[in-house]
Amino acid sequence: MAHLLSTSCSLNIPSCRKPSFQQLNQGLIGLPTSFTVKTSKSPVRTVILPAQRSQRCHTVYATATPFTPTQSRSGLHQSSNDPSKAKRVMIIGGDGYCGWATALHLSNKGYEVAIVDSLIRRLFDHQLGLDSLTPIASIHDRLRCWKSLTGKNIELYIGDICDFEFLSESFKSFEPDAVVHFGEQRSAPYSMIDRSRAVFTQHNNVIGTLNVLFAMKEFRQECHLVKLGTMGEYGTPNIDIEEGYITINHNGRTDTLPYPKQASSFYHLSKVHDSHNIAFTCKAWGIRATDLNQGVVYGVRTDETAMHEELCNRLDYDGVFGTALNRFCVQAAVGHPLTVYGKGGQTRGYLDIRDTVQCVELAIANPAQPGEFRVFNQFTEQFSVNQLAALVTKAGEKLGLDVKTISVPNPRVEAEEHYYNAKHTKLIELGLQPHILSDSLLDSLLNFAIQFKDRVDSKQIMPSVSWRKIGTKPKTVAA
Ligand code: NAD
Ligand code: USQ
């Protein structure tokens, strides 16, 4: 992959010192004493750290060893294998936007949590010259801070799930009862930059998920997979969207079949293929799985990430990784016109990141049966892009901002005016209490954007990736 800077790293982290808050605030503790990055032709691999069990609290060694010290396994949520133990949840992609918030939330709720992440998302940012609106601490500092604030451990396995050996070691070491899989390349524009990114996205996502399925079959047959899918798998059909399955009468016969998929980017297509692979392995091997077809997520704060600045989550506003509502709030804060693509009638399901963590918790607490492939549509409200722009304009004006909107020629190939009515009752039935997009949430998101507006690089706001112009030439190689 021409765009990938392949790395293998060795890293020594100083010994176990409990940080003071002052130190954490100054970012002084936990800086690696040595850090080397080697480049090679192979994709990003495992971080390899020296094997010293005595320093286990701050040292990851070999491919898959916990970052934090082991703690007595107590908690509210019990493992199906041994009811006296807390449920063990592996969060793949736990350094990312949804994964980080979820890892802290579940840890706070008494689950034993491990994060598995290749940190490749941080590399994408470096390669494309992007940055989160919010400053984010390294994963090591994040976990040290969490431990010092709450006394709770989150174990850390740094590596690529496309590397089956690494994933196997992580499974054997952590022995998860549930795996929450966020660990994919998740940007539709990224997957449409050039051939190399399209191929990378499908390889990373499809092979990574396939490896997770094989690891479950081999090492943790009882484990429940909670996989992040996307509402975009369904596209925008001119009929109601059901939750995963539709009952069809055809030529006098009836069957309940997977709902038709009409994805509209190489990224969204990778999710469709994942869903098929998961459905097949549920049938063939008796895997238990929940596919959470999530809508577009907005917001940044959750109860846990708000506890300390080093726990702060990322917030993307750029034209590649930024999503509609988050982008509009940042645009309003810096006086950039809101970028409505095309006619703005594109309608999608949206949810607050506080509901992402709630939905995942509900799915884990109410697992699918062996062999069951369960699909939930995970969003709380639907909006068109024009409606979002109008809501942000109104909320911005209340804060004294002069918010304008422009119509940008649509860089994507998508319906700009269409019917959209997607069902989303199954998570409500399990107990989801939605955070509806309110004036106060918009106020707080806008205030957040205003707080960090000096970090905004306005050059990153306009879209630069065209669905029609994608070609074979790697885009980051100078002409
Ligand atoms: P993100 O890019 O912030 O986080 C993804 C994380 O996965 C990153 O930390 C990355 O380093 C890691 N990762 C990627 N490939 C990996 C691999 N091969 N091995 C190990 N780690 C890997 O993305 P996000 O916004 O948190 O999204 C998480 C999941 O939720 C994705 O699967 C995405 O498709 C889905 N989702 C996100 C949204 C949204 O609005 N953000 C909406 C619907 C669905
Ligand atoms: N849009 C604009 N202006 C912008 C940004 C987006 O009009 O400045 C429009 C897009 O054209 C699209 C809609 O808003 O019609 C949503 O785009 P988005 O960038 O907010 O979200 P999308 O590309 O669909 O992807 C995001 C996440 C992805 C997840 C998906 C859920 O990046 O991981 O799968 O939301 S869903 O949209 O339901 O498929």
Side-chain angles (χ1 to χ4, degrees):
M1 306 286 159
H3 64 281
L4 274 184
L5 231 197
S6 172
T7 61
S8 72
C9 308
S10 68
L11 173 60
N12 292 322
I13 300 172
S15 64
C16 216
R17 263 187 301 134
K18 196 160 186 170
S20 70
F21 292 119
Q22 194 188 8
Q23 282 174 319
L24 281 171
N25 281 325
Q26 292 169 348
L28 290 176
I29 61 114
L31 292 173
T33 51
S34 72
F35 182 78
T36 31
V37 178
K38 300 171 196 157
T39 59
S40 78
K41 281 188 185 147
S42 60
V44 169
R45 307 294 284 196
T46 312
V47 169
I48 301 176
L49 301 161
Q52 287 181 26
R53 263 194 194 278
S54 58
Q55 291 184 0
R56 202 175 173 186
C57 53
H58 282 174
T59 304
V60 185
Y61 69 93
T63 51
T65 299
F67 168 66
T68 48
T70 44
Q71 200 185 29
S72 66
R73 287 173 191 169
S74 62
L76 301 170
H77 309 282
Q78 295 169 334
S79 154
S80 52
N81 293 339
D82 180 350
S84 68
K85 287 184 179 171
K87 223 177 214 179
R88 301 174 66 72
V89 184
M90 172 183 280
I91 303 193
I92 304 175
D95 186 46
Y97 175 53
C98 300
W100 177 237
T102 304
L104 294 190
H105 179 75
L106 295 179
S107 174
N108 211 17
K109 291 277 176 160
Y111 291 91
E112 289 284 330
V113 173
I115 286 176
V116 174
D117 202 301
S118 61
L119 310 185
I120 195 163
R121 179 53 213 284
R122 293 178 186 248
L123 182 61
F124 298 153
D125 287 358
H126 288 312
Q127 289 181 332
L128 298 176
L130 311 174
D131 203 356
S132 160
L133 173 81
T134 46
I136 52 170
S138 74
I139 184 67
H140 304 84
D141 286 345
R142 282 175 156 187
L143 296 185
R144 265 188 284 261
C145 180
W146 180 245
K147 167 83 176 157
S148 81
L149 286 176
T150 64
K152 292 174 190 291
N153 299 313
I154 295 180
E155 297 182 10
L156 175 62
Y157 300 85
I158 298 180
D160 182 349
I161 61 166
C162 294
D163 173 354
F164 189 68
E165 201 185 335
F166 159 75
L167 186 64
S168 305
E169 291 307 313
S170 309
F171 262 74
K172 285 190 272 184
S173 165
F174 184 67
E175 302 185 332
D177 299 307
V179 173
V180 186
H181 181 14
F182 292 105
E184 301 203 327
Q185 191 301 100
R186 70 103 177 126
S187 157
Y190 186 95
S191 74
M192 302 299 292
I193 292 177
D194 53 24
R195 185 204 67 85
S196 175
R197 264 83 173 201
V199 171
F200 169 78
T201 300
Q202 295 215 345
H203 178 96
N204 185 64
N205 296 1
V206 177
I207 305 307
T209 299
L210 204 48
N211 279 348
V212 171
L213 293 165
F214 271 97
M216 288 174 64
K217 179 179 191 296
E218 195 72 13
F219 309 115
R220 298 294 288 174
Q221 188 85 50
E222 283 303 300
C223 183
H224 175 211
L225 173 64
V226 177
K227 165 68 170 47
L228 271 290
T230 174
M231 286 300 294
E233 291 180 44
Y234 300 120
T236 52
N238 198 30
I239 56 171
D240 292 349
I241 294 173
E242 304 296 322
E243 295 199 65
Y245 298 91
I246 183 167
T247 300
I248 299 177
N249 296 306
H250 182 63
N251 293 344
R253 300 184 67 83
T254 302
D255 203 352
T256 298
L257 299 168
Y259 196 93
K261 305 288 172 82
Q262 302 187 79
S264 61
S265 72
F266 289 122
Y267 153 73
H268 286 98
L269 283 159
S270 75
K271 295 290 200 185
V272 173
H273 206 81
D274 283 346
S275 296
H276 290 319
N277 282 345
I278 300 167
F280 170 70
T281 56
C282 287
K283 217 181 271 179
W285 304 339
I287 298 281
R288 49 169 92 206
T290 304
D291 202 357
L292 296 175
N293 281 343
Q294 186 169 238
V296 189
V297 183
Y298 59 80
V300 63
R301 275 173 196 272
T302 52
D303 287 348
E304 293 80 16
T305 62
M307 282 166 67
H308 192 282
E309 64 187 33
E310 288 222 349
L311 302 178
C312 188
N313 207 343
R314 63 179 310 127
L315 189 73
D316 300 304
Y317 65 89
D318 61 85
V320 176
F321 284 97
T323 51
L325 182 54
N326 290 345
R327 268 166 69 70
F328 287 176
C329 287
V330 176
Q331 292 167 0
V334 296
H336 191 288
L338 310 189
T339 53
V340 168
Y341 297 166
K343 292 182 183 153
Q346 302 94 305
T347 303
R348 303 285 184 269
Y350 288 81
L351 74 162
D352 189 309
I353 191 160
R354 291 173 294 177
D355 291 338
T356 295
V357 304
Q358 217 193 130
C359 291
V360 171
E361 188 188 356
L362 285 167
I364 295 169
N366 302 279
Q369 295 304 309
E372 184 184 8
F373 177 59
R374 199 172 59 163
V375 183
F376 296 160
N377 291 347
Q378 180 168 314
F379 70 96
T380 56
E381 294 173 278
Q382 38 179 79
F383 299 102
S384 70
V385 179
N386 284 331
Q387 285 171 326
L388 289 180
L391 287 167
V392 172
T393 303
K394 196 169 135 222
E397 281 167 355
K398 275 204 279 170
L399 294 177
L401 300 170
D402 178 20
V403 186
K404 301 254 181 321
T405 293
I406 45 167
S407 173
V408 176
N410 198 337
R412 305 184 183 202
V413 177
E414 61 185 357
E416 295 175 4
E417 286 172 320
H418 57 89
Y419 177 78
Y420 199 77
N421 184 33
K423 303 281 173 62
H424 55 113
T425 55
K426 291 189 180 174
L427 282 158
I428 302 278
E429 282 159 19
L430 283 182
L432 172 65
Q433 297 186 315
H435 292 87
I436 297 302
L437 180 60
S438 63
D439 289 352
S440 64
L441 184 278
L442 277 173
D443 273 8
S444 105
L445 196 47
L446 279 165
N447 276 316
F448 214 83
I450 292 166
Q451 183 188 346
F452 291 107
K453 72 178 193 175
D454 290 346
R455 287 176 51 86
V456 173
D457 176 358
S458 298
K459 294 190 295 302
Q460 303 296 349
I461 289 179
M462 290 300 280
S464 57
V465 179
S466 161
W467 265 226
R468 290 184 179 82
K469 292 187 187 151
I470 183 171
T472 56
K473 189 174 176 186
K475 277 283 176 58
T476 41
V477 175

